[in-house]
Amino acid sequence: MIELSRKQIRIDGEPRVVMAGEVHYFRVARDEWEQRLDLCVEAGLTAVASYIPWIFHELPDGSIDVEGRTRPERDVAAFVDLCAERGLMFVARPGPFVMAELKNEGIPHRVYREHPEVVPSGWDGAPTTSSTVDYLQPAFLEETARWYAAVMPLLAPRLQPNGGNVVAVQLDNEVGMLAWVTNTPDLTDHLVEHLGRWARERHGGSGPYPVEPGAEGWTQAVRSPEEAWAGALRRDLGEFMRVRFADYVGALRTMAEEHGVVDVPFLVNIHGTEGGSGQPFPIGISQLVSTYSGVPGMVSGSDHYMGEATLSTMSDLYVINAFMDAVHDEDQPLTSLEFEAGSGDYGAGAEMQYDPSTTDLKTRLCLAQGNRLVNYYLFAGGINPMLDEPVGDGNDRLSFTGERHGTAAPVGPEGQRGFAFDATRRTIEAVRANEPWLAVMDEEHDDVELGLVLDAYATEYHHPGSDLMTDAVTDLAAHRGAGQRRALVRSLLMAGYRFGAVHLEERSPRAGSVLVLGAGRYLARAVQERVLAHAEAGGGVLLLGPAPVLDLDGTPCTVLVDALGIEPGEVDRDTGHHYPSVVARGWAAPWPEMRVGWRQELTASRGDVVLTDVYGVVCGVDVPVGSGRVVLLAAELPSSRELFARAVERLGASPGVSTRTPWPGVLTTTTASADGQRALHVINLSGAAMPVEVTVDGQVLAGGPLQVPARSGHLLPLGLGIGGVRVVGGTGEVAGVEDGAIRFRPLLGVGDGPGHVDLAAGTPVRPDDAYTLGEGPEGCVRVTPVDPAAPLTVHLG
């Protein structure tokens, strides 16, 4: 039995962290399957995931082979069963779209030839430039039903509740992504007609449009909008597509359930990273939120490719996890269905090579934020087979990558251990050793929440000829989420703040908390009203960006600035010969003068000035409103732990964990379980060893600065129940528990001396030449290793 409860994944009642690796059976010769799976076991994985590509299993005559009749690699059940023989769970990803660098993203060529009506046209009727389809076209659904009728009966008897090893099934892949990246909405006649019905219900008639939705002229009004209704159409199209995608995923789920695939989680893969950045990721959440948010049995999973673990990418990853959780219900856990693994050399041309620590550092951050399933993509590479029917596209293979695939993977295309294999194996070993508490712990948060405005990410469609649409998308994309230059999130993380996010279209921040929000000139009236109400009721608001003065459709909306008594003025921008610089005033000072990309003049009728340019033009104010306060910083500020921490503290929230380091590069957070277990997570992203003084709840951890090695992560006990013993504190991560002994990785040193482990008072510890025993705080048994560089094994009893 698989249960999703309290953001945990429980398998037969046991909370688990599922560590999976993507292995594409269709890219590996049948007689090599076992070797690849043996490497999965060697690496410590507990599960294997794989796409099941329709394009690979459909034959030129339109028949479908999933039993291996025409080639042995098509025997899906045999691969799943081989995983089971090795104790590996299986995550099935049957599409219909699978992407995976396959031709047509995994859809057979025949579908497009026989059903041209499924192929969308975009703005002005222009043909789409991708392999996307109108998902709800009856012809596409009928073809998909035929595919599901072939593959789902193989999975049903192998589901975990039926005694098998299939623990989850992903429905489609990256739904809506192709339309987003090409700015080509799926404007088939079928979709535009559906949009018309939806718009009539929303507006009760023609609303902002020149004709009644669905009437003559409606299709032209949608495909080639004029400025008079372009803003409303952009807003409506984003909201409507959420409904349409939900209908599509719901139809897929019904098809799967009709073939007996029930009682396991259905997964939805969320796309959104672009060009090594995670900042656009919530576009995927915005598109797909209605497919899974609050829907029983549905779970979303992240899909992120951001390269090296740096302060920028880790800030993005922190936001990704926080925003995903913000739209989940109380039971839905975080998962990652495509967690970038390997060296980064995807083109086999030695263009890049990530540090081997990258996977480890990213994994640790995600697990600290509550991820319960991580699927390393790609874990094993392979060889792309030839298409059964040549199409003359330059290589006639299944994939557009050529012959070899997965050159960056921990296991290479020919089954060799790759550059990142050993580092990935060590990461998985660390997770497995700490799974009992990672599976049940949640991140502790300070009284701070990051504002999620999903409508600020409904920017996937804008007519290139519309100035209004383009202006709205440009403004929203520049200021949302972590704030320009990631200044909001990166600064607070460096200052030690631990925070989640609040979905502002759906709920208000916690009473009395500090809301931090990156926003631009476009901010929906309902959100402005909610932010204002939070402050009036005694909460704090830190707003970074230009003053909001427009609703999402471009109509004036000054609810927030009017209540604050602020009149926004001109924006002064950085140019090649003009360098706006700002300085802090009042409680924000002292702070060094900083050059900024822009600053906006603010005229405030009350409150305190906290930021000006060098000539005294005000661009930052602290304004009382009701029982609370709003701090508006209207400038493109760099990250600054000092400035932003002062602002949040001024608004009423202090970090429960704080760090002192000689330079930036260390992230810390804490997790806790319902039964009182607790841990500190320390991640050093820098390339240098770092002395880190960590204060938790007002107490300096371990009595001095921890000596944290370069590019390393550590889970340190603050009260863990291990092997019947309570580890009260210490500077070592658990490496394993055996009968009568607890193993720790080499302990972090403290100051100029060795680290230690503190066990609960009265714990019987057998003497050993490898450590000395002493008394720790509150009578604890303190164990100190003789050799600080060696792993520590503490013998009990």
Side-chain angles (χ1 to χ4, degrees):
M1 181 179 72
I2 301 176
E3 181 185 9
L4 306 177
S5 178
R6 294 182 55 244
K7 301 190 180 295
Q8 298 173 13
I9 298 177
R10 298 177 183 172
I11 301 177
D12 292 334
E14 180 183 359
R16 297 296 305 272
V17 174
V18 178
M19 298 300 293
E22 186 90 6
V23 180
H24 291 160
Y25 66 90
F26 53 92
R27 284 177 162 134
V28 178
R30 172 73 176 265
D31 59 7
E32 296 179 18
W33 282 359
E34 294 189 59
Q35 186 261 356
R36 301 300 198 278
L37 296 179
D38 288 342
L39 287 174
C40 292
V41 173
E42 180 183 331
L45 293 171
T46 56
V48 164
S50 181
Y51 288 122
I52 306 174
W54 184 3
I55 192 174
F56 176 68
H57 289 279
E58 181 168 302
L59 306 181
D61 63 2
S63 63
I64 295 174
D65 177 13
V66 289
E67 298 88 12
R69 291 179 285 104
T70 56
R71 61 182 299 166
E73 289 78 24
R74 289 188 169 119
D75 191 345
V76 176
F79 184 75
V80 177
D81 292 344
L82 277 178
C83 292
E85 289 175 12
R86 285 157 177 75
L88 293 166
M89 295 176 278
F90 189 76
V91 178
R93 310 176 75 194
F97 277 89
V98 297
M99 283 59 181
E101 295 74 54
L102 299 184
K103 307 287 175 64
N104 295 335
E105 316 298 343
I107 306 297
H109 291 81
R110 177 194 60 80
V111 173
Y112 298 93
R113 288 197 307 267
E114 295 184 3
H115 305 288
E117 69 272 23
V118 309
V119 180
S121 55
W123 299 117
D124 302 318
T128 181
T129 58
S130 71
S131 298
T132 188
V133 302
D134 177 356
Y135 296 104
L136 286 181
Q137 274 282 354
F140 183 71
L141 289 178
E142 289 169 8
E143 291 285 4
T144 299
R146 183 169 161 271
W147 165 237
Y148 270 30
V151 70
M152 292 300 175
L154 297 179
L155 300 178
R158 292 172 172 82
L159 300 177
Q160 194 275 345
N162 296 334
N165 62 326
V166 178
V167 294
V169 176
Q170 181 178 313
L171 300 172
D172 209 280
N173 187 61
E174 297 175 352
V175 176
M177 182 269 291
L178 296 173
W180 160 48
V181 298
T182 60
N183 184 26
T184 307
D186 302 333
L187 299 180
T188 61
D189 290 343
H190 184 263
L191 184 144
V192 173
E193 180 184 353
H194 185 189
L195 173 61
R197 295 195 301 273
W198 180 88
R200 281 198 305 272
E201 292 180 7
R202 175 184 175 88
H203 299 294
S206 61
Y209 300 106
V211 297
E212 183 156 334
E216 184 178 354
W218 169 246
T219 299
Q220 177 67 17
V222 171
R223 289 179 178 161
S224 302
E226 296 182 12
E227 291 294 76
W229 63 89
L233 176 63
R234 189 194 66 80
R235 179 199 60 201
D236 282 356
L237 194 57
E239 293 184 19
F240 163 73
M241 290 305 296
R242 293 173 187 164
V243 174
R244 195 164 173 89
F245 291 148
D247 289 347
Y248 170 60
V249 172
L252 296 182
R253 179 174 182 172
T254 297
M255 293 179 197
E257 291 175 337
E258 287 173 348
H259 293 288
V261 177
V262 295
D263 299 327
V264 295
F266 288 106
L267 308 176
V268 176
N269 206 26
I270 300 177
H271 53 273
T273 57
E274 182 182 41
S277 170
Q279 293 199 88
F281 179 88
I283 291 174
I285 302 178
S286 170
Q287 289 183 293
L288 301 180
V289 62
S290 298
T291 69
Y292 66 86
S293 179
V295 180
M298 300 293 294
V299 178
S300 73
S302 62
D303 176 336
H304 50 78
Y305 297 86
M306 296 181 292
E308 195 80 71
T310 65
L311 270 176
S312 291
T313 56
M314 295 290 267
S315 297
D316 288 351
L317 191 54
Y318 197 88
V319 172
I320 285 172
N321 290 323
F323 280 180
M324 286 179 63
D325 189 57
V327 303
H328 285 177
D329 63 25
E330 63 273 10
D331 291 323
Q332 291 173 315
L334 288 174
T335 74
S336 183
L337 297 178
E338 290 192 21
F339 193 106
E340 184 180 24
S343 68
D345 185 22
Y346 297 107
E351 281 91 358
M352 66 177 65
Q353 185 167 279
Y354 303 156
D355 188 278
S357 65
T358 290
T359 297
D360 181 62
L361 301 179
K362 291 180 178 178
T363 299
R364 287 176 176 276
L365 182 64
C366 286
L367 293 178
Q369 289 183 268
N371 272 243
R372 312 300 191 196
L373 181 153
V374 170
N375 179 36
Y376 290 126
Y377 191 101
L378 201 62
F379 184 77
I383 304 299
N384 291 308
M386 301 298 291
L387 292 167
D388 290 289
E389 184 176 23
V391 293
D393 62 1
N395 68 13
D396 284 326
R397 291 187 179 272
L398 189 69
S399 171
F400 56 75
T401 59
E403 182 182 26
R404 302 172 80 239
H405 187 79
T407 55
V411 176
E414 291 77 29
Q416 69 273 36
R417 292 170 180 78
F419 174 73
F421 180 83
D422 287 339
T424 305
R425 175 182 54 77
R426 289 192 295 270
T427 298
I428 298 167
E429 287 176 353
V431 175
R432 295 283 299 274
N434 290 275
E435 183 181 3
W437 32 96
L438 286 173
V440 298
M441 283 183 166
D442 298 312
E443 186 180 28
E444 297 181 300
H445 291 153
D446 297 307
D447 209 10
V448 174
E449 293 181 283
L450 178 65
L452 166 61
V453 181
L454 269 189
D455 287 338
Y457 290 92
T459 55
E460 64 270 38
Y461 314 120
H462 65 283
H463 191 287
S466 169
D467 292 339
L468 194 156
M469 283 187 171
T470 301
D471 181 65
V473 169
T474 301
D475 176 72
L476 292 168
H479 303 290
R480 63 197 177 190
Q484 272 192 312
R485 302 173 70 175
R486 302 175 176 85
L488 268 179
V489 167
R490 187 159 50 199
S491 299
L492 295 182
L493 288 177
M494 288 191 299
Y497 280 97
R498 307 156 297 170
F499 50 90
V502 55
H503 180 9
L504 287 173
E505 283 103 345
E506 294 293 327
R507 60 183 62 90
S508 298
R510 295 190 308 272
S513 67
V514 175
L515 171 69
V516 294
L517 177 63
R521 293 178 295 119
Y522 291 78
L523 189 62
R525 176 177 296 273
V527 175
Q528 291 193 38
E529 291 172 344
R530 182 162 275 156
V531 170
L532 179 60
H534 173 67
E536 289 176 334
V541 176
L542 172 57
L543 187 62
L544 177 64
V549 292
L550 298 169
D551 208 333
L552 292 173
D553 60 2
T555 57
C557 180
T558 56
V559 170
L560 190 53
V561 292
D562 288 347
L564 297 177
I566 293 174
E567 182 178 339
E570 293 296 316
V571 173
D572 185 28
R573 297 190 179 278
D574 185 288
T575 66
H577 300 284
H578 182 67
Y579 321 104
S581 297
V582 299
V583 293
R585 308 291 184 183
W587 54 256
W591 186 65
E593 175 188 316
M594 289 286 182
R595 178 181 170 185
V596 296
W598 59 267
R599 65 104 183 109
Q600 181 181 33
E601 182 177 3
L602 302 175
T603 302
S605 61
R606 64 180 191 277
D608 300 324
V609 173
V610 296
L611 201 67
T612 71
D613 73 1
V614 294
Y615 306 110
V617 176
V618 176
C619 54
V621 292
D622 172 6
V623 181
V625 55
S627 301
R629 307 188 73 85
V630 174
V631 172
L632 171 58
L633 303 177
E636 186 190 45
L637 298 171
S639 299
S640 169
R641 60 177 292 168
E642 294 82 9
L643 178 65
F644 287 94
R646 279 188 207 138
V648 173
E649 288 177 353
R650 165 73 172 177
L651 292 167
S654 299
V657 176
S658 62
T659 59
R660 291 179 59 190
T661 61
W663 51 85
V666 174
L667 303 180
T668 57
T669 191
T670 58
T671 54
S673 63
D675 63 2
Q677 298 191 86
R678 200 171 180 223
L680 171 72
H681 304 256
V682 180
I683 299 173
N684 181 6
L685 301 170
S686 76
M690 190 88 77
V692 182
E693 184 176 279
V694 183
T695 301
V696 181
D697 299 333
Q699 299 293 319
V700 176
L701 187 73
L706 305 176
Q707 302 302 320
V708 185
R711 304 288 298 177
S712 69
H714 308 267
L715 185 154
L716 305 181
L718 295 176
L720 297 178
I722 305 173
V725 172
R726 188 165 183 82
V727 180
V728 178
T731 66
E733 177 175 290
V734 174
V737 181
E738 290 125 13
D739 289 340
I742 305 173
R743 291 186 292 112
F744 295 89
R745 292 172 61 196
L747 309 187
L748 300 181
V750 180
D752 295 327
H756 56 262
V757 173
D758 290 334
L759 307 178
T763 302
V765 179
R766 295 208 313 265
D768 190 284
D769 291 340
Y771 52 77
T772 60
L773 301 177
E775 184 174 333
E778 300 180 359
C780 292
V781 178
R782 173 158 291 182
V783 183
T784 305
V786 173
D787 181 358
L792 173 68
T793 299
V794 178
H795 302 281
L796 306 173

